Amino acid sequence: MNRKVTALLLCTAMLLTSACQDTGNETTSDLETDPAETAETTSESTEETTEETTAELTPGIELSGNPDDIIPIDQSTYYEGDNYILYFERGAEIHGDIAVQIESIMDDLESFYGMSFDFREYADPVSWKTDYGFAHLGRVNEDCSKIDIIISKDYQDGRIEWSLPNVVMLFDTDLVPSVQDHGIVYHELTHILRTRQSPILGKILEEGLACYSQDHFTRARGESNWTMIQYVDSGNFNSSFDDSVIVNDPEGFFREANVGGRSGEQPEYHYGFRFVTFLIDTYGVGIVDTLTKNARGRDFSEEDNDTIIEIIKESTSDDVFERFATWLPDGWRNWSDSYISYMQSLGLL
């Protein structure tokens, strides 16, 4: 989807500074100093820094769990849950139940996919804290034992949600009690859950799985699901993506789309959503955990098509791509029809 693609491009440019990097450069004076005086000054400075750091590392916010409580964030701070850290950016406005909502969504994902956010063998620290005003929290969650969730003010200035291994950025507006579509939260947290478990399985599988979560849980919650309408190809709705390229050469186009550059056509999303839907329809939701476990212990990049395809076939069958091409015309029409029926049941189509 457009929001996600732009997000990945945006964070490539943004994440340039180490979270633990000092905010200033050390300088050496040309003047001679008394060693005793220097030692005393250093000791006093260290004590002051330790006191300041200890104070800064103390979570500065309490959450009541009450959705009616509105909390303006005047200074960047954080809240620590059992397996996550919420970082609240200055200027955001949150509700007292934000942690309750996050925990509910994380529980849904863990239960559905049979995987745990606590698994962190492949968690990868990334540099983001300085860019978002959290440089003073560089020591928080250094070992990636928990997932990092940034809650930013939605200034509607073109920024969009994004995720990288072990960190996700969401807007305060994504989690207000009145919001009628939590799909983007499920989408981004699915990325984190999956990529903590094994090496990244490529754009097609990772985006396809996140789209699947977005659609599945939005419907399960009875929420509006407008974002997914771009994938509908049935009746009066025609997707902009021509999936005949998949039918004609399913494995060949997988290779092409998985390593291709980002584009407005978003083939990795369209292919991925269809492919993951096929995989779960055919092999059950456990196929996600099977793919993940078969990927562990291997050393490969997200553009290593040979290894990724080997993992897919090992987890399913040697003719899985041919079976996908056979399933696709009727299978995707069935999905599209079910989406239309769902939206009509809400009076939205």
Side-chain angles (χ1 to χ4, degrees):
M1 70 198 84
N2 291 329
R3 293 161 61 87
K4 181 68 182 158
V5 172
T6 310
L8 291 171
L9 293 174
L10 176 65
C11 40
T12 300
M14 292 176 60
L15 303 178
L16 299 176
T17 312
S18 170
C20 303
Q21 179 178 333
D22 292 336
T23 57
N25 296 323
E26 294 182 358
T27 58
T28 303
S29 173
D30 292 331
L31 300 177
E32 293 184 3
T33 57
D34 184 339
E37 181 180 344
T38 300
E40 182 179 352
T41 302
T42 301
S43 176
E44 292 174 355
S45 176
T46 300
E47 290 176 1
E48 292 174 0
T49 300
T50 301
E51 291 175 359
E52 292 175 359
T53 301
T54 301
E56 288 169 339
L57 294 182
T58 301
I61 191 170
E62 294 183 2
L63 300 174
S64 65
N66 185 347
D68 295 327
D69 289 343
I70 300 175
I71 307 167
I73 304 299
D74 299 323
Q75 182 177 357
S76 296
T77 186
Y78 77 107
Y79 172 87
E80 186 167 2
D82 289 341
N83 52 3
Y84 64 92
I85 309 287
L86 292 176
Y87 299 85
F88 300 112
E89 186 182 26
R90 184 170 61 87
E93 186 175 272
I94 63 171
H95 290 253
D97 70 336
I98 188 170
V100 175
Q101 291 196 59
I102 289 289
E103 291 170 7
S104 174
I105 290 171
M106 291 174 66
D107 288 347
D108 283 347
L109 291 169
E110 288 183 320
S111 177
F112 187 68
Y113 290 115
M115 298 186 292
S116 173
F117 283 100
D118 292 331
F119 190 95
R120 59 188 176 99
E121 183 176 343
Y122 293 89
D124 184 19
V126 293
S127 305
W128 61 266
K129 289 179 181 175
T130 299
D131 297 302
Y132 277 82
F134 295 101
H136 62 292
L137 301 181
R139 287 169 45 204
V140 175
N141 199 33
E142 279 185 305
D143 62 355
C144 292
S145 60
K146 303 183 179 187
I147 66 170
D148 290 330
I149 304 172
I150 310 165
I151 306 296
S152 290
K153 173 69 175 177
D154 186 1
Y155 291 103
Q156 300 185 3
D157 57 359
R159 291 190 304 160
I160 37 59
E161 298 91 335
W162 53 262
S163 63
L164 288 174
N166 212 62
V167 58
V168 57
M169 191 279 278
L170 302 170
F171 289 127
D172 51 4
T173 51
D174 291 327
L175 290 156
V176 298
S178 60
V179 70
Q180 294 299 307
D181 185 350
H182 288 79
I184 191 64
V185 183
Y186 279 98
H187 184 113
E188 302 300 348
L189 288 178
T190 295
H191 281 313
I192 301 300
L193 176 62
R194 231 299 309 151
T195 57
R196 281 174 72 89
Q197 314 291 320
S198 81
I200 295 174
L201 286 167
K203 292 185 295 186
I204 289 177
L205 283 176
E206 301 294 0
E207 296 300 348
L209 182 62
C211 287
Y212 187 93
S213 290
Q214 185 169 359
D215 177 56
H216 172 84
F217 288 103
T218 302
R219 295 203 214 185
R221 294 167 67 110
E223 298 177 345
S224 62
N225 196 15
W226 283 112
T227 303
M228 314 313 290
I229 199 169
Q230 63 184 301
Y231 301 104
V232 177
D233 202 357
S234 180
N236 295 324
F237 298 91
N238 299 110
S239 170
S240 61
F241 178 73
D242 181 4
D243 59 15
S244 65
V245 294
I246 300 176
V247 175
N248 295 335
D249 187 4
E251 184 172 332
F253 192 70
F254 180 97
R255 291 177 176 274
E256 178 183 335
N258 194 53
V259 300
R262 300 287 182 175
S263 71
E265 296 178 354
Q266 302 176 322
E268 68 273 30
Y269 289 82
H270 286 277
Y271 192 120
F273 189 19
R274 288 164 169 79
F275 191 47
V276 170
T277 300
F278 156 74
L279 289 175
I280 292 177
D281 279 0
T282 305
Y283 301 97
V285 70
I287 187 60
V288 179
D289 190 44
T290 300
L291 287 164
T292 296
K293 289 177 177 175
N294 286 335
R296 287 179 189 161
R298 302 188 193 220
D299 184 13
F300 63 95
S301 75
E302 59 186 292
E303 294 191 345
D304 183 351
N305 278 328
D306 288 341
T307 301
I308 292 171
I309 288 173
E310 180 180 316
I311 291 168
I312 292 171
K313 291 182 177 181
E314 177 183 334
S315 304
T316 55
S317 64
D318 288 338
D319 64 346
V320 63
F321 287 98
E322 290 75 17
R323 296 180 68 182
F324 173 45
T326 300
W327 172 92
L328 187 56
D330 289 338
W332 200 244
R333 188 179 302 109
N334 291 338
W335 176 87
S336 298
D337 289 344
S338 72
Y339 171 88
I340 293 170
S341 296
Y342 170 76
M343 295 293 277
Q344 287 175 339
S345 72
L346 299 181
L348 298 175
L349 285 180

